[in-house]
Amino acid sequence: MRQMLLAKRANIARDAPSLFVLTGQSNITGLRPSFSILSDAKKAGFYTLVDAAALASSARISLQAQSPDIDALAISFYKIFGYPTGVGALIAKKSLLSTLKKKWFSGGTVDFVQAPGELTLQATDLAARFEEGTLNYSSLSAIAPGLEFVKTFMGPMSVRLPILHHYLHNALASLVYPGTQMRLVKVHTRPRPPPIASSAVSTSTYQPFQSSHRIQVRRKSTASSRDASPSSSSRPRTPQRSMSRMISHLSPFSSTGLLTPPPSEYPELPEFETNPSATSSSSSDGTDQGYVVSCTFYTSSGALIPLAHVSHLASRAGISLRTGCVCNPGGAAALRGKETQARMERLSSLPATATSPSIQCTENGVGLKSVGEIMLESAGVVRISLGVASNFEDVQRVVSWAKTLLDEQKRDRDLARFAPAEALGR
């Protein structure tokens, strides 16, 4: 990777500032790349920015630990604790902000404007130069209590979410049509290993941007050992009793293997140019995999169940699913494999005559109808994400709903009864 970065940098003017952007966690695969690449990028002469919108929702981030490798970090408070929407932050070093030269200005970003004339003086405050217009001040007051809330539950989340992800992934992958070997669900994201081998009250410490994250399991201590623990009074008040019950409930599934298919039965890994499991960012404890499950559903004959059908059936059960390319068409194509990528290539060869005045067109003159006929929903996935609000009841409800789809006659009746044909693309 360092050689590739050096080669890229060699093609850029020596004095031109260059930015290397790394996604902290993929929003569709859940993969968390090793942040050691940031050091290579800095040595190659790049400024570095981490898009932590997905990562920050379930992992502590320490800029102090990563200094000087990170120059800027982008986060979304909505993705961290759900409210307020439309409020995020760009945390950047002054050394980076001072190199950015804006070609325009608007309200609040300048200290002086000559009118008439051409003289403008940018705001002395570097942050103010990039905060254009009126801030969403009515929502900013929610950020501090939101961060305090997440701070309280971040520790238990590092135990709870691996358990939920492990259960959800393997429960969906184990659904098979009766009398056949055909699976209902193909999970395209990677599994996590069983996080806990036995029932215990657990604590964990997350060291951000490293692959050495471990969940340390401790058995329930005696009264004397509790009294001797110097940190017991400083731990956040969390429902450990409920956590212990959930671990006890799930442990039989892991120990008996009911929800842990052998490695040979795990779904194929995404067809990236480089297998992610073979890179240095992969870790045996699964910490390079975020809490995302991306999957597709199939009939007993192996035909894809359209995403619109899956979404509608789920909504009838009171479950809202995110379907489609989830704002990541490249990632969706990589997950779905070579067939989808081949369909993408066919789109590029469509002639402009494939359009019609009555059909919405893309920029290169290709009609939306033509795109739909080629793709046939083969590019998207069903994405299920876990976060601070997720609990076992949520996950079990999704699994129980998915089991109902194994009854194909009932599934088809529900679609015919409740879904308009035009809404499902029939």
Side-chain angles (χ1 to χ4, degrees):
M1 179 61 72
R2 185 179 181 184
Q3 295 300 321
M4 183 186 73
L5 289 170
L6 290 172
K8 292 287 185 181
R9 193 69 179 90
N11 295 328
I12 304 173
R14 178 175 299 179
D15 298 331
S18 301
L19 183 65
F20 177 80
V21 181
L22 183 67
T23 300
Q25 175 182 305
S26 169
N27 72 325
I28 192 168
T29 68
L31 289 177
R32 297 174 173 178
S34 172
F35 277 44
S36 61
I37 188 177
L38 296 175
S39 177
D40 292 334
K42 293 293 292 182
K43 293 175 181 177
F46 289 88
Y47 287 101
T48 59
L49 182 148
V50 174
D51 176 2
L55 179 66
S57 65
S58 58
R60 288 190 179 97
I61 299 176
S62 172
L63 292 176
Q64 185 177 10
Q66 279 300 111
S67 183
D69 292 337
I70 296 181
D71 293 311
L73 181 83
I75 58 174
S76 166
F77 295 113
Y78 163 71
K79 292 182 182 295
I80 297 176
F81 41 79
Y83 178 86
T85 59
V87 177
L90 174 64
I91 305 169
K93 292 181 177 178
K94 294 180 179 179
S95 58
L96 171 62
L97 293 180
S98 62
T99 65
L100 303 179
K101 307 299 182 184
K102 291 176 60 178
K103 302 297 184 180
W104 71 95
F105 67 89
S106 57
T109 65
V110 292
D111 288 336
F112 175 80
V113 177
Q114 180 188 9
E118 299 181 355
L119 177 62
T120 60
L121 299 179
Q122 291 188 338
T124 306
D125 185 343
L126 289 174
R129 295 181 186 180
F130 302 92
E131 294 179 348
E132 299 177 331
T134 303
L135 295 178
N136 188 3
Y137 58 86
S138 62
S139 297
L140 296 182
S141 59
I143 295 177
L147 292 175
E148 285 298 319
F149 171 80
V150 172
K151 179 181 178 181
T152 301
F153 289 94
M154 187 62 76
M157 279 172 58
S158 62
V159 177
R160 174 165 49 91
L161 294 185
I163 297 172
L164 295 180
H165 185 275
H166 175 73
Y167 173 80
L168 177 62
H169 182 286
N170 291 294
L172 290 176
S174 67
L175 297 179
V176 178
Y177 284 98
T180 72
Q181 296 300 315
M182 180 59 64
R183 294 184 182 273
L184 170 68
V185 181
K186 180 177 181 180
V187 182
H188 299 279
T189 44
R190 301 193 309 173
R192 294 179 67 101
I196 294 179
S198 62
S199 175
V201 175
S202 307
T203 59
S204 66
T205 302
Y206 186 81
Q207 299 181 3
F209 313 126
Q210 298 180 10
S211 60
S212 58
H213 177 201
R214 295 291 186 272
I215 294 179
Q216 300 174 345
V217 179
R218 304 192 311 161
R219 298 203 174 271
K220 294 180 180 179
S221 56
T222 62
S224 59
S225 63
R226 283 198 303 269
D227 296 339
S229 174
S231 59
S232 59
S233 61
S234 61
R235 294 190 191 118
R237 294 174 178 263
T238 55
Q240 288 191 345
R241 200 174 304 173
S242 299
M243 183 75 68
S244 180
R245 285 200 301 269
M246 182 174 70
I247 294 172
S248 300
H249 180 73
L250 293 181
S251 59
F253 293 97
S254 295
S255 61
T256 59
L258 291 178
L259 296 180
T260 310
S264 60
E265 296 185 11
Y266 281 143
E268 295 179 0
L269 293 174
E271 297 179 7
F272 297 110
E273 292 183 3
T274 302
N275 189 326
S277 66
T279 66
S280 59
S281 64
S282 298
S283 59
S284 59
D285 61 0
T287 55
D288 59 337
Q289 173 65 47
Y291 311 111
V292 175
V293 174
S294 293
C295 56
T296 42
F297 291 72
Y298 296 85
T299 67
S300 59
S301 61
L304 174 72
I305 301 178
L307 298 179
H309 293 200
V310 176
S311 179
H312 179 80
L313 291 168
S315 67
R316 295 299 306 176
I319 298 173
S320 179
L321 294 177
R322 179 72 186 272
T323 61
C325 292
V326 296
C327 300
N328 192 340
L335 281 182
R336 294 297 301 277
K338 295 180 179 179
E339 179 182 356
T340 296
Q341 295 174 34
R343 290 177 183 270
M344 291 289 188
E345 293 176 359
R346 285 182 57 191
L347 291 179
S348 301
S349 61
L350 281 179
T353 54
T355 128
S356 166
S358 61
I359 300 175
Q360 181 180 352
C361 299
T362 61
E363 291 184 1
N364 62 350
V366 176
L368 184 60
K369 183 177 179 180
S370 300
V371 172
E373 290 174 348
I374 290 180
M375 298 311 298
L376 297 174
E377 295 203 12
S378 62
V381 296
V382 175
R383 188 188 71 182
I384 306 172
S385 303
L386 304 175
V388 64
S390 304
N391 56 37
F392 179 72
E393 287 74 18
D394 297 331
V395 173
Q396 181 60 35
R397 187 178 180 188
V398 172
V399 174
S400 298
W401 162 77
K403 288 180 180 179
T404 67
L405 302 186
L406 292 172
D407 186 342
E408 294 191 278
Q409 292 184 350
K410 180 180 182 303
R411 185 182 72 209
D412 292 340
R413 287 197 303 269
D414 289 344
L415 284 172
R417 179 181 179 185
F418 298 113
E422 60 273 15
L424 298 180
R426 292 177 175 175

